[in-house]
Amino acid sequence: GENVEQHPSTLSVQEGDSAVIKCTYSDSASNYFPWYKQELGKRPQLIIDIRSNVGEKKDQRIAVTLNKTAKHFSLHITETQPEDSAVYFCAASRDLGFQKLVFGTGTRLLVSP
Amino acid sequence: DTAVSQTPKYLVTQMGNDKSIKCEQNLGHDTMYWYKQDSKKFLKIMFSYNNKELIINETVPNRFSPKSPDKAHLNLHINSLELGDSAVYFCASSRTWTGPVEAFFGQGTRLTVV
């Protein structure tokens, strides 16, 4: 089955810096890669996703890149703000629905003012 | 007008007890899920229901029994609670069960077994 590894587990940056979180997956048939953000004590929420037919997707300060050959994808956050502090989860699936998503282990991002 | 709501938010109970967590969604979604998030924040699916029918049971002990009286509700009953059951349990829903759908999570139920 699919296995998703996520790094780093913890990431501390200064406000205004960029942050990059990386994930690798094992199933070459996976073709859907969402990212969820979970603020402290709150529910996970989808922030951005990418399909395998796209190499990069941007939404304001966040972007996701996908390298299908190397089987890895990354979340990039530019001009980080304290409200970006949260746990971020990557996930991968074969486009068979949410229940088939395999989540990474999460990255705790701390943005210091 | 909360989209996915689960109760209770906190649950503290003794080992061996039986407890239930309720979940309701008002989004008109067909599919609902239960996820377990352990102390290391790892999110793992437990069950998935589509239109009241079980479609995923991820090797969860049979002490855990989900019940879906209708497609807007998915409750989780846990028998003979163990210390290792302590975790945050998230209910979620999605429009359908196939394709790249977004999941909407409830606020979580923090279960502590003492």
Side-chain angles (χ1 to χ4, degrees):
Chain A
E2 176 66 276
N3 183 43
V4 178
E5 294 190 2
Q6 183 171 348
H7 300 280
S9 57
T10 307
L11 179 59
S12 294
V13 300
Q14 290 291 122
E15 183 176 0
D17 288 351
S18 294
V20 180
I21 302 169
K22 298 181 179 181
C23 289
T24 59
Y25 60 98
S26 60
D27 186 353
S28 56
S30 288
N31 58 4
Y32 176 59
F33 309 92
W35 287 86
Y36 280 76
K37 174 185 178 182
Q38 184 179 21
E39 295 176 15
L40 186 64
K42 297 198 175 171
R43 68 196 78 192
Q45 291 185 290
L46 178 72
I47 55 170
I48 195 167
D49 57 12
I50 192 168
R51 301 289 302 274
S52 60
N53 58 348
V54 175
E56 181 174 358
K57 186 175 178 181
K58 282 189 77 171
D59 183 2
Q60 298 182 0
R61 294 186 299 107
I62 61 172
V64 57
T65 58
L66 171 65
N67 183 328
K68 281 217 74 177
T69 304
K71 290 191 284 189
H72 66 69
F73 56 112
S74 300
L75 179 72
H76 304 253
I77 307 174
T78 58
E79 299 171 29
T80 54
Q81 300 166 3
E83 51 264 39
D84 295 329
S85 297
V87 178
Y88 292 81
F89 293 95
C90 64
S93 82
R94 285 189 183 191
D95 199 19
L96 292 177
F98 185 77
Q99 69 276 6
K100 286 297 185 183
L101 274 178
V102 176
F103 281 90
T105 47
T107 295
R108 185 178 298 280
L109 173 65
L110 179 60
V111 181
S112 303
Chain B
D1 59 349
T2 305
V4 181
S5 60
Q6 52 184 108
T7 55
K9 191 171 181 183
Y10 300 97
L11 186 53
V12 181
T13 187
Q14 290 188 324
M15 282 176 55
N17 283 351
D18 303 338
K19 289 293 177 186
S20 293
I21 307 172
K22 295 186 176 182
C23 180
E24 175 182 5
Q25 54 95 3
N26 62 5
L27 296 165
H29 287 170
D30 285 344
T31 313
M32 296 185 73
Y33 316 85
W34 278 108
Y35 270 79
K36 180 180 180 181
Q37 186 173 46
D38 60 23
S39 57
K40 295 183 178 179
K41 298 296 184 185
F42 186 53
L43 269 172
K44 187 157 173 57
I45 191 162
M46 301 173 68
F47 300 103
S48 174
Y49 270 72
N50 188 66
N51 264 317
K52 306 189 296 176
E53 305 239 341
L54 178 67
I55 52 174
I56 290 279
N57 179 344
E58 288 288 323
T59 59
V60 177
N62 56 17
R63 297 183 295 104
F64 291 79
S65 52
K67 290 274 190 322
S68 183
D70 54 62
K71 75 173 193 177
H73 295 83
L74 180 61
N75 304 322
L76 183 65
H77 188 76
I78 316 169
N79 289 328
S80 304
L81 278 154
E82 301 177 357
L83 292 177
D85 297 332
S86 295
V88 179
Y89 291 84
F90 284 98
C91 175
S93 74
S94 64
R95 183 176 47 82
T96 183
W97 70 286
T98 59
V101 290
E102 178 180 356
F104 293 81
F105 285 85
Q107 77 274 30
T109 295
R110 183 175 294 278
L111 171 66
T112 303
V113 183
V114 297

